[in-house]
Amino acid sequence: SASDDNTVKLWDAASGEEVRTLNGHSDRVWSANFSADGQRVVSASDDNTVKVWKVESFEDLIDRARSWLIPWLQNPNSEATDADRALCDLPPRQPTE
């Protein structure tokens, strides 16, 4: 959806939940449409720009986030908690002696 708050919002049609907010326009966005292949969103704004956004699936975003987080979560010197590790399906830390 195009929004008066200068953003484009992507929604899960089944649940009605907001999936992602695309920030980058400096004025009201008055049009947003998916490309035919569903890989991009094109938006037009009162800031006199048209933007093309690459859109990843929610699963792709989760996989990318995990790839950034796992090295930190596995680092024995990080401040990651067992709850943090559980977010990426990692086992709790083993106590060190």
Side-chain angles (χ1 to χ4, degrees), residues 16 18-19 22 32 41 46 48-50 57 59 64 69 80 88 94:
E18 182 181 330
V19 174
L22 305 174
V41 171
D46 280 344
N48 296 318
T49 64
V50 172
S57 71
E59 291 79 15
R64 188 156 44 109
L69 286 173
C88 289
Q94 298 301 315

Side-chain angles (χ1 to χ4, degrees), residues 4-92:
D4 284 343
D5 68 0
N6 309 347
T7 66
V8 175
K9 296 189 184 291
L10 304 181
W11 302 89
D12 180 317
S15 69
E17 299 277 326
E18 182 181 330
V19 174
R20 187 170 172 196
T21 298
L22 305 174
N23 295 293
H25 285 291
S26 61
D27 205 343
R28 179 178 70 98
V29 180
W30 50 268
S31 180
N33 289 290
F34 277 97
S35 62
D37 65 4
Q39 298 297 307
R40 290 174 185 70
V41 171
V42 178
S43 59
S45 169
D46 280 344
D47 66 8
N48 296 318
T49 64
V50 172
K51 296 194 180 293
V52 179
W53 312 83
K54 183 177 180 202
V55 180
E56 298 171 278
S57 71
F58 184 70
E59 291 79 15
D60 291 340
L61 291 172
I62 294 298
D63 287 344
R64 188 156 44 109
R66 285 174 51 105
S67 73
W68 291 338
L69 286 173
I70 286 176
W72 175 72
L73 294 169
Q74 291 176 328
N75 181 339
N77 297 320
S78 77
E79 296 177 10
T81 66
D82 286 343
D84 296 331
R85 294 170 59 80
L87 291 171
C88 289
D89 299 321
L90 295 175

